Amino acid sequence: MKELTFVRHAKSDWGDENLRDIDRPLNNRGYSDAYYTANWYAMNKKKPDVMISSTATRALNTALIFARILDYDMANFHLNKNLYETNVSKLLNILKTQENSKNHLMIFLHNPAITNFCNERSEYLYFGNVATCGIVSFEIKIKSWDELEYKTGKLNYHQFPKDFKNRD
């Protein structure tokens, strides 16, 4: 049994039009949502075996906030430049190459890939949009990551920042 948890990067700052898209940082709401969601995760879920983040600044910042809150072993934290501007097919190929001894992966990436990939996991699931800083987790009945295919997976849970709107 494997678990695959996706986290979309938190809200990014569009204030500097001279920045390349890959270099956009989080905005204030993004930082707030990332810390709040990471704390929720730490209190309610188990640490993943591996964290893999896109190299885009906003995804990396989100992933590092999760790592800090989880007191995560950074030896199991990896960057993958191919997660930036990826698509479902490329993401599937990245996941299929993961080490089989690692049963729970947490992937930090972007739309539209995260929404499209999540919608491909289960026959009875549809997300119109995985919100920024949203978490979606699947239980997948496979023994090795190279067995991962479309329509394989059962939704464990999803948690979006709007679910915390009454937080403070």
Side-chain angles (χ1 to χ4, degrees):
M1 188 72 62
K2 304 287 187 191
E3 184 175 351
L4 188 54
T5 302
F6 293 102
V7 181
R8 183 173 172 201
H9 66 78
K11 280 273 186 215
S12 59
D13 188 345
W14 288 82
D16 186 347
E17 62 189 47
N18 294 315
L19 281 180
R20 296 180 315 157
D21 180 71
I22 197 169
D23 295 325
R24 279 190 291 115
L26 299 179
N27 65 17
N28 288 340
R29 178 176 150 200
Y31 279 108
S32 175
D33 286 350
Y35 276 102
Y36 203 89
T37 305
N39 277 305
W40 171 85
Y41 185 90
M43 290 187 298
N44 294 286
K45 305 297 176 187
K46 292 182 181 178
K47 288 182 190 180
D49 297 323
V50 175
M51 289 177 140
I52 306 169
S53 177
S54 159
T55 55
T57 300
R58 59 196 179 274
L60 178 56
N61 286 346
T62 304
L64 289 173
I65 289 168
F66 272 72
R68 185 176 303 118
I69 297 296
L70 293 171
D71 193 25
Y72 198 72
D73 178 356
M74 296 305 281
N76 295 312
F77 184 98
H78 307 287
L79 295 177
N80 187 316
K81 66 181 180 180
N82 296 318
L83 289 174
Y84 177 69
E85 294 186 338
T86 195
N87 60 41
V88 171
S89 176
K90 290 177 186 174
L91 180 54
L92 184 62
N93 288 334
I94 290 167
L95 296 172
K96 284 182 162 203
T97 65
Q98 298 306 304
E99 191 177 320
N100 287 322
S101 65
K102 308 300 185 184
N103 291 316
H104 181 190
L105 306 179
M106 180 177 268
I107 313 295
F108 295 83
L109 71 163
H110 313 266
N111 251 353
I114 188 171
T115 296
N116 293 340
F117 195 87
C118 288
N119 286 335
E120 291 290 341
R121 288 309 90 215
S122 172
E123 288 185 51
Y124 307 107
L125 175 70
Y126 179 77
F127 289 105
N129 180 49
V130 173
T132 52
C133 212
I135 302 174
V136 182
S137 182
F138 296 92
E139 176 183 280
I140 304 169
K141 293 181 181 180
I142 56 175
K143 291 184 180 179
S144 69
W145 289 108
D146 63 358
E147 297 173 33
L148 185 63
E149 293 296 336
Y150 298 103
K151 304 299 180 193
T152 56
K154 177 182 170 238
L155 181 67
N156 276 340
Y157 61 89
H158 68 278
Q159 192 71 41
F160 299 155
K162 71 178 181 177
D163 300 327
F164 302 120
K165 72 179 185 179
N166 296 324
R167 63 185 183 206
D168 295 322

